[in-house]
């Protein structure tokens, strides 16, 4: 049995969890994380290379004989890292876990993903797309639209490109700020306007080899900063798995109406895709609709999805590269897993960094998955908005949450904040 040298790109809680999971495999020889954080260093070697510096990544891959590249965040995928590797004689033997640039358009362009769903009859909100060229038409469309109304910048906008307008005036103002004032730069030159769907959201994940796929445990994340789902959107304040309302009947609909047509659609359109697909779904009157696709795992969903997956992830990635994911039967742990995200005061707006963190040694029976942390003069210090994900298992989500909350109290740093109501809707 051969083992593989693996390079993982990214530096968040998702990557800390991927590093934890990959490093457990007998098939993992050496693990490198670029750039990583204070937590990923426990599972492999951090290398100080930014995720979009393809030339430096190439140099490192050749020097350290990398066999597998796992891409955590969407940016390098949408920038074409897969194509960069496959076009280079020295790199093309490396297994890349992540889609081609064309496949990554599922996340990189909202307009592309809406058209893709239309072509394959995948349920999603009704929509239209507009640019400067049909601005007037867009204005009339908004005036005649029911409220609330959803406006989305077409391109990547670091999770901030979606506005749910409650009034026609707000929608018109947002529309003009996106297209005319380039509020999200080039990303909002094109705007998707869609119908508001009223329901409850969940995240579903698969790993696909382009033909076959393995479904991972589903998860629910908490996007808003405030308790009771109030205040601005964040990258995610916590997650839980399994999702109480994702019963077998519902998941069957998800498989038949969403997952399978998506994988078949990628194949039919020759969109090269070997990697994770993240389906952002909403359940409306018992039926699933796609809110968005992402071409990567979710954060903080990964912090509960991978702890519940019993399969060897390196083996899955190797099978993926061979087009043999049909040989992998997913096995989930029976236990529930929850994660509570500790963040910096002020997040998701401006916040201070460099706060010394203590209490790690007091924590028992939870995993500490680092997000925005780094080592500085022998201390772990904060270096981002989302700082640390505390994941626990339990017989049910409430037990798991209770354990994470116990430990959340033991970690200390100036300005610590976390939501204390996760799972409230399932009590
Ligand atoms: P997205 O970046 O597309 O995931 O959108 C961010 C968030 O906006 C989603 O997680 C939903 O909470 C919300 N959202 C997006 N599209 C819709 C929609 N059509 N109806 C209701 N909520 C939406
Ligand atoms: N938790 C949502 C995301 O990763 O986009």
């Amino acid at each position: 049995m051969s083992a593989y040298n693996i390079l993982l790109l990214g530096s968040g809680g998702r990557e800390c969890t991927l590093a934890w999971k990959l490093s457990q495999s007998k098939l993992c020889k050496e693990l490198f994380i670029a750039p990583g954080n204070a937590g990923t260093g426990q599972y492999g070697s951090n290398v100080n290379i930014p995720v979009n510096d393809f030339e430096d990544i190439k140099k490192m891959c050749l020097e350290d004989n990398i066999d597998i590249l796992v891409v955590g965040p969407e940016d390098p995928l949408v920038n074409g890292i897969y194509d960069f590797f496959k076009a280079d004689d020295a790199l093309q033997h490396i297994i890349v876990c992540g889609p081609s640039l064309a496949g990554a358009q599922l996340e990189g362009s909202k307009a592309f993903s809406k058209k893709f769903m239309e072509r394959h009859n995948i349920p999603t909100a009704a929509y239209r797309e507009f640019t400067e060229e049909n601005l007037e038409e867009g204005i009339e469309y908004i005036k005649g639209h029911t409220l609330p109304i959803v406006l989305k910048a077409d391109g990547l906008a670091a999770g901030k490109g979606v506005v749910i307008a409650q009034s026609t005036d707000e929608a018109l103002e947002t529309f003009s700020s996106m297209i005319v004032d380039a509020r999200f730069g080039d990303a909002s030159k094109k705007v998707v306007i869609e119908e508001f769907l009223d329901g409850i959201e969940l995240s579903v994940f698969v790993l696909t080899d382009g033909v076959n796929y393995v479904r991972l445990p589903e998860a629910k994340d908490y996007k808003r900063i405030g308790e009771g789902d109030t205040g601005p959107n964040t990258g995610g304040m916590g997650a839980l798995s399994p999702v109480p309302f994702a019963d077998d009947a519902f998941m069957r609909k998800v498989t038949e109406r969403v997952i399978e047509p998506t994988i078949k659609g990628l194949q039919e359109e020759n969109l090269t895709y070997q990697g994770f697909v993240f389906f952002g779904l909403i359940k409306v009157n018992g039926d699933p609709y796609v809110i968005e696709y992402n071409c990567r795992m979710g954060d903080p969903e990964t912090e509960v999805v991978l702890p519940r997956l019993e399969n060897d992830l390196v083996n899955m990635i190797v099978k993926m590269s061979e087009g043999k994911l049909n040989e992998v039967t997913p096995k989930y742990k029976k236990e529930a897993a929850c994660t509570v995200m500790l963040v910096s005061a002020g997040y998701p707006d401006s916040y201070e960094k460099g706060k010394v963190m203590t209490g790690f040694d007091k924590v028992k029976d939870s995993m500490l998955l680092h997000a925005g942390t780094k080592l500085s003069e022998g201390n772990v210090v904060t270096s981002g908005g989302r700082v640390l994900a505390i994941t626990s298992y339990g017989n049910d989500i409430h037990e798991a949450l209770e354990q994470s909350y116990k430990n959340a109290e033991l970690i200390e740093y100036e300005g610590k904040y976390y939501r204390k109501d996760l799972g409230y809707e399932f009590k």
Side-chain angles (χ1 to χ4, degrees):
M1 187 173 64
S2 53
Y4 301 84
N5 288 330
I6 303 174
L7 172 62
L8 167 65
L9 297 184
S11 60
R14 167 181 52 213
E15 285 75 23
C16 194
T17 319
L18 279 161
W20 164 80
K21 182 77 177 160
L22 293 166
S23 68
Q24 287 167 20
S25 170
K26 284 197 203 75
L27 297 173
C28 178
K29 192 154 65 187
E30 267 200 86
L31 175 65
F32 300 89
I33 307 98
N37 60 36
T40 58
Q42 301 166 74
Y43 309 112
S45 311
N46 288 343
V47 281
N48 194 12
I49 303 175
V51 297
N52 285 308
D53 189 341
F54 294 179
E55 287 300 336
D56 261 15
I57 291 170
K58 170 178 174 176
K59 229 167 83 200
M60 189 263 155
C61 283
L62 297 178
E63 275 168 18
D64 289 288
N65 290 314
I66 294 300
D67 304 298
I68 299 179
L69 177 75
V70 180
V71 187
E74 63 276 17
D75 256 44
L77 292 166
V78 173
N79 291 336
I81 195 160
Y82 174 92
D83 307 72
F84 176 85
F85 269 61
K86 296 304 159 185
D88 190 311
D89 287 345
L91 296 176
Q92 59 188 206
H93 66 284
I94 296 176
I95 297 171
V96 178
C97 182
S100 67
L101 195 155
Q105 290 306 300
L106 280 190
E107 173 164 5
S109 165
K110 301 268 188 207
F112 175 89
S113 77
K114 295 298 281 192
K115 277 183 256 176
F116 177 88
M117 287 186 263
E118 213 168 41
R119 285 195 292 274
H120 301 286
N121 285 317
I122 296 166
T124 188
Y127 82 105
R128 289 277 306 273
E129 60 178 84
F130 299 97
T131 61
E132 201 160 36
E133 263 133 55
N134 57 355
L135 193 74
E136 289 306 318
E137 214 182 304
I139 292 169
E140 291 311 309
Y141 184 72
I142 290 173
K143 285 182 180 163
H145 203 287
T146 52
L147 293 168
I149 177 168
V150 184
L151 295 97
K152 299 185 174 185
D154 176 57
L156 292 185
K160 299 196 172 74
V162 175
V163 174
I164 298 175
Q166 301 297 336
S167 69
T168 303
D169 281 350
E170 186 191 351
L172 289 171
E173 215 170 280
T174 304
F175 184 61
S176 142
S177 79
M178 283 184 173
I179 292 186
V180 182
D181 311 330
R183 175 162 159 193
F184 301 104
D186 282 354
S188 66
K189 275 190 169 160
K190 194 184 273 178
V191 172
V192 164
I193 297 185
E194 66 179 39
E195 143 199 43
F196 178 79
L197 296 174
D198 195 7
I200 184 157
E201 289 177 59
L202 80 160
S203 308
V204 170
F205 304 91
V206 304
L207 180 68
T208 182
D209 60 21
V211 177
N212 312 287
Y213 68 91
V214 172
R215 182 159 70 78
L216 309 179
E218 77 288 352
K220 177 170 197 327
D221 83 340
Y222 290 82
K223 287 209 170 78
R224 303 293 198 93
I225 187 77
E227 283 165 17
D229 293 322
T230 53
N233 262 334
T234 69
M237 296 297 291
L240 49 85
S241 176
V243 178
F245 60 84
D247 54 23
D248 288 349
F250 178 71
M251 292 312 291
R252 239 189 332 269
K253 289 183 190 170
V254 170
T255 300
E256 285 166 13
R257 298 179 193 177
V258 177
I259 299 176
E260 291 187 342
T262 298
I263 304 298
K264 235 173 110 214
L266 289 169
Q267 218 181 319
E268 281 170 15
E269 299 191 19
N270 288 319
L271 297 167
T272 302
Y273 205 116
Q274 291 199 323
F276 296 105
V277 189
F278 169 160
F279 303 87
L281 304 179
I282 188 163
K283 183 179 182 180
V284 184
N285 298 325
D287 291 325
Y289 291 80
V290 178
I291 293 267
E292 64 163 349
Y293 288 112
N294 295 308
C295 59
R296 49 160 175 94
M297 288 296 292
D299 196 349
E301 289 96 327
T302 305
E303 287 91 310
V304 297
V305 170
L306 293 184
R308 290 197 63 229
L309 183 72
E310 291 193 341
N311 303 65
D312 180 325
L313 186 58
V314 181
N315 178 55
M316 285 171 68
I317 291 170
V318 173
K319 289 285 181 199
M320 173 201 80
S321 74
E322 296 169 343
K324 291 183 184 163
L325 273 179
N326 54 317
E327 294 177 6
V328 176
T329 307
K331 238 183 123 199
Y332 306 171
K333 272 195 202 310
K334 271 207 309 291
E335 287 92 342
C338 291
T339 200
V340 173
M341 189 64 83
L342 308 189
V343 305
S344 300
Y347 175 78
D349 298 324
S350 61
Y351 52 84
E352 291 177 13
K353 300 181 187 177
K355 307 294 180 194
V356 174
M357 301 178 70
T358 58
F360 295 95
D361 49 335
K362 295 186 193 151
V363 169
K364 282 198 196 77
D365 300 323
S366 287
M367 291 164 64
L368 298 178
L369 298 160
H370 289 237
T373 67
K374 65 174 190 185
L375 288 175
S376 169
E377 296 167 8
N379 291 314
V380 176
V381 302
T382 64
S383 68
R386 292 192 294 168
V387 174
L388 185 72
I390 304 181
T391 293
S392 312
Y393 294 110
N395 287 317
D396 59 30
I397 54 173
H398 302 292
E399 214 181 280
L401 278 165
E402 200 178 313
Q403 184 62 27
S404 287
Y405 281 131
K406 237 188 256 168
N407 284 320
E409 283 178 30
L410 303 176
I411 300 289
E412 294 193 59
Y413 59 92
E414 191 190 317
K416 176 178 75 174
Y417 171 77
Y418 56 98
R419 269 182 67 169
K420 300 188 176 65
D421 69 334
L422 304 186
Y424 72 94
E425 67 276 60
F426 305 120
K427 282 215 168 112

